[in-house]
Amino acid sequence: MKKEIIVTDQAPKAIGPYSQGVKAGGFLFLSGAIALDPASGEIVKGGIVAEAEQVMKNIGALLQAAGVGFGDVVKTVIYLADMGDFATVNGIYGRFFEAAAPARVTVEVKGLPRGALVEIEVTALCG
């Protein structure tokens, strides 16, 4: 089985030894996305609403770079620094899935990279 590394400058560069995304075996695996601005490399300001919006934009850019879209997403994992942000993130997240939503797990964690409030990991189908 062959794997293909997905890279785009429309999403933040990896901040460690990992790829933005990897295609393998008919699937696309995206690394966890936090609310980094692709141009500055800094966390966007504005709290959980701004962060959730930026995370979903970053995911969209990576999906597009891989030739797929939100409709191809089959599983996500949402990591929250505070489960009290669940409803806010859920509302923003839900706008990006027009058809059947993917399977999902949401967990509260002690901390996220760069002090982020939310991180989302994605698995999608790709042809």
Side-chain angles (χ1 to χ4, degrees), residues 4-125:
E4 175 187 348
I5 303 301
I6 304 302
V7 178
T8 179
D9 61 4
Q10 300 302 304
K13 294 178 183 176
I15 58 174
Y18 61 87
S19 298
Q20 290 174 309
V22 177
K23 277 186 181 181
F27 289 94
L28 170 66
F29 303 93
L30 297 184
S31 293
I34 60 174
L36 295 176
D37 177 288
S40 71
E42 299 297 322
I43 295 278
V44 297
K45 304 278 190 250
I48 192 63
V49 171
E51 285 198 31
E53 291 279 357
Q54 187 64 51
V55 166
M56 296 307 290
K57 288 178 189 173
N58 292 345
I59 290 169
L62 287 163
L63 291 170
Q64 183 176 11
V68 299
F70 282 100
D72 299 300
V73 175
V74 295
K75 173 81 186 285
T76 63
V77 180
I78 300 176
Y79 303 95
L80 296 173
D82 181 351
M83 194 57 83
D85 291 330
F86 178 85
T88 300
V89 172
N90 197 51
I92 293 165
Y93 170 98
R95 292 195 333 255
F96 288 82
F97 295 101
E98 296 174 4
R104 182 178 88 186
V105 173
T106 303
V107 295
E108 182 179 56
V109 296
K110 185 175 180 178
L112 291 167
R114 303 252 179 114
L117 301 174
V118 59
E119 180 173 8
I120 301 177
E121 172 187 344
V122 171
T123 303
L125 292 173

